[in-house]
Amino acid sequence: MFHKKIHIFLFSATFIIIFFETSNAVSINVVSHGAKPDGKQDSTKHFLSAWSSACKSNEASTIYVPQGSFLLNQVTFWGPCMNKIDFKIDGTIVAPSNYVSLGNSGYWILFMKVNRVSIYGGTIDGKGDDYWHCRKAGKSCPPGARSISFSWSKNVLVSGLTSLNSKSIHIAVDHCKNVVIKDVNIKAPSRSPNTDGINVQFSTLVTISHATIMTGDDCISINQGTTHVWIERIACGPGHGISIGSLGSYSNEAGVENVTVTDSVFTKTDNGVRIKSWAKPSNGYARDIKFRNLIMQNVYNPIIIDQRYCSKRECPHQSSGVKISGVSYEHIKGTSASPVAIKFDCSQSNPCQGLKLKDIKLVYLRGSGTSSCKNVAGSSTGVVIPKSCL
Ligand SMILES: *[C@@H]1O[C@H](CO)[C@@H](O)[C@H](O)[C@H]1NC(C)=O
């Protein structure tokens, strides 16, 4: 009697689950729209056809990319759509290695004006090798295509994605609101040019967590017009570290505010946490920035503010208009690969205000480390090694 009850219960529970799944999500397999998992035949129009049926569905839909390798050329998934769309990816999406065929837009996979799009799993391979060679040879090359981009979108989730060998930025977020990027794996060689891991600009409410990023440029860069960013549990390196900026490339520029970077590890990176701005007039700013609970392993500039970022050609003898204020560094430990473990090189015309150092221990292994301050006001508390210049 008792068992029978359980069976009936399980039966109805299963029934209910199936009932809800089928009634609430339309599943669309890209292969049934003609995509070929052979990595050779161009599947762009088949992915677009799957997107178009998902996009006009009144119900939530899941676009399924099964195992195999799918070749996609430049593709834009346009919103707005009628309902929520999930991409569930078990396979690999590959770009053409012929960079000319991607055109001049600077994008490979672009989501434009979407709302409630989630991407689960999958690998995207930007096949950047030939393009990097073009760059390194100093030839005239088209703009490198970012691998996956979200523009003018909101409520975006990227979870469990692997991005390999992008021609330029791996994941770009631009003019977006409420974006979560988690459990991602980003990988390109340390000498691949401008292959930033995750690049954010003109966006608000962005969370990046549990990411492993090994690349040839910034692991993460937060740029103009970006507010309320939370970055947590990042393993960065090789790469150029986590950067705010470059800011101040434009004389009229939106600022960066309320960014937290916490519980992360930097291994053999050029920089740990960096704020950089061009040495030229600008009304940009960076304020309310928190860096805490970080481990630096043989990092060249573990803590750095560089407001003299400049190519000699572009800004001779000028100072940065970008105002940097309210930046705290707390509980940052490890080793510095250069003697100047803490470097604040702020603008002469706009000195940094309200910098705070607390519980810092950055050891230079081949001698005594130092900190360096130019045009800075701030304070330090607790133990600070090397001795604070604030
Ligand atoms: C700062 O951003 C976080 C999200 O990262 C948000 O929860 C918090 O409310 C923001 N703080 C302020 C003062 O706006």
Side-chain angles (χ1 to χ4, degrees), residues 61-373:
S61 28
T62 298
I63 297 175
Y64 180 56
V65 181
Q67 288 197 352
S69 172
F70 296 87
L71 177 67
L72 287 194
N73 222 299
Q74 201 288 316
V75 60
T76 304
F77 298 112
W78 280 94
C81 296
M82 298 295 286
N83 207 323
K84 185 178 176 330
I85 300 177
D86 291 351
F87 263 88
K88 185 169 179 332
I89 310 175
D90 284 334
T92 299
I93 297 174
V94 297
S97 52
N98 175 355
Y99 46 86
V100 178
S101 78
L102 276 177
N104 286 316
S105 73
Y107 296 95
W108 173 33
I109 302 168
L110 170 61
F111 288 87
M112 186 74 167
K113 299 191 177 176
V114 299
N115 181 14
R116 294 188 294 162
V117 165
S118 303
I119 294 177
Y120 296 98
T123 297
I124 55 174
D125 185 344
K127 298 274 177 197
D129 215 22
D130 288 355
Y131 180 71
W132 308 329
H133 277 107
C134 175
R135 292 277 312 267
K136 286 190 208 162
K139 292 189 220 161
S140 92
C141 321
R146 301 158 181 79
S147 278
I148 186 164
S149 307
F150 298 89
S151 292
W152 301 94
S153 294
K154 54 191 176 183
N155 306 313
V156 169
L157 168 68
V158 177
S159 172
L161 178 74
T162 297
S163 177
L164 306 173
N165 299 327
S166 181
K167 291 180 173 65
S168 93
I169 298 163
H170 284 261
I171 301 177
V173 175
D174 177 30
H175 286 97
C176 288
K177 181 175 177 184
N178 197 18
V179 176
V180 173
I181 298 173
K182 62 178 190 177
D183 300 311
V184 297
N185 231 306
I186 293 174
K187 205 168 172 191
S190 62
R191 291 207 203 112
S192 54
N194 300 115
T195 51
D196 285 13
I198 302 171
N199 183 297
V200 182
Q201 63 174 359
F202 294 111
S203 295
T204 189
L205 295 168
V206 178
T207 302
I208 303 169
S209 64
H210 294 251
T212 302
I213 305 175
M214 313 165 87
T215 191
D217 204 315
D218 293 337
C219 289
I220 298 174
S221 84
I222 304 298
N223 296 285
Q224 57 167 323
T226 300
T227 56
H228 312 316
V229 178
W230 188 268
I231 297 172
E232 158 176 66
R233 299 193 193 215
I234 309 298
C236 167
H240 295 182
I242 295 182
S243 284
I244 299 193
S246 313
L247 303 178
S249 17
Y250 305 98
S251 58
N252 194 7
E253 181 175 288
V256 170
E257 185 162 359
N258 184 17
V259 176
T260 301
V261 178
T262 184
D263 298 291
S264 295
V265 181
F266 299 76
T267 305
K268 294 189 178 169
T269 46
D270 291 7
N271 308 289
V273 286
R274 166 168 65 163
I275 301 176
K276 62 174 171 170
S277 75
W278 290 86
K280 57 186 182 182
S282 172
N283 63 352
Y285 60 84
R287 59 191 179 221
D288 191 13
I289 313 289
K290 286 146 284 199
F291 298 116
R292 61 173 182 251
N293 304 337
L294 307 176
I295 294 171
M296 303 287 168
Q297 306 187 118
N298 211 8
V299 171
Y300 198 79
N301 299 304
I303 292 177
I304 178 165
I305 296 179
D306 175 9
Q307 291 208 264
R308 289 201 294 177
Y309 191 68
C310 198
S311 69
K312 284 203 181 81
R313 201 157 28 94
E314 276 196 64
C315 43
H317 313 299
Q318 292 185 320
S319 77
S320 176
V322 173
K323 294 176 182 62
I324 297 175
S325 63
V327 185
S328 65
Y329 301 87
E330 188 179 339
H331 202 251
I332 300 179
K333 315 246 147 148
T335 52
S336 175
S338 81
V340 189
I342 302 173
K343 185 173 178 181
F344 297 130
D345 190 355
C346 292
S347 163
Q348 212 172 354
S349 51
N350 294 282
C352 295
Q353 309 281 343
L355 302 196
K356 288 201 180 86
L357 288 168
K358 184 180 178 189
D359 297 331
I360 310 288
K361 190 176 178 196
L362 293 166
V363 179
Y364 175 52
L365 293 172
R366 276 170 294 168
S368 54
T370 56
S371 61
S372 142
C373 287

Side-chain angles (χ1 to χ4, degrees), residues 48-71:
L48 279 172
S49 137
W51 173 262
S52 138
S53 47
C55 192
K56 57 187 184 223
S57 160
N58 283 317
E59 289 154 52
S61 28
T62 298
I63 297 175
Y64 180 56
V65 181
Q67 288 197 352
S69 172
F70 296 87
L71 177 67

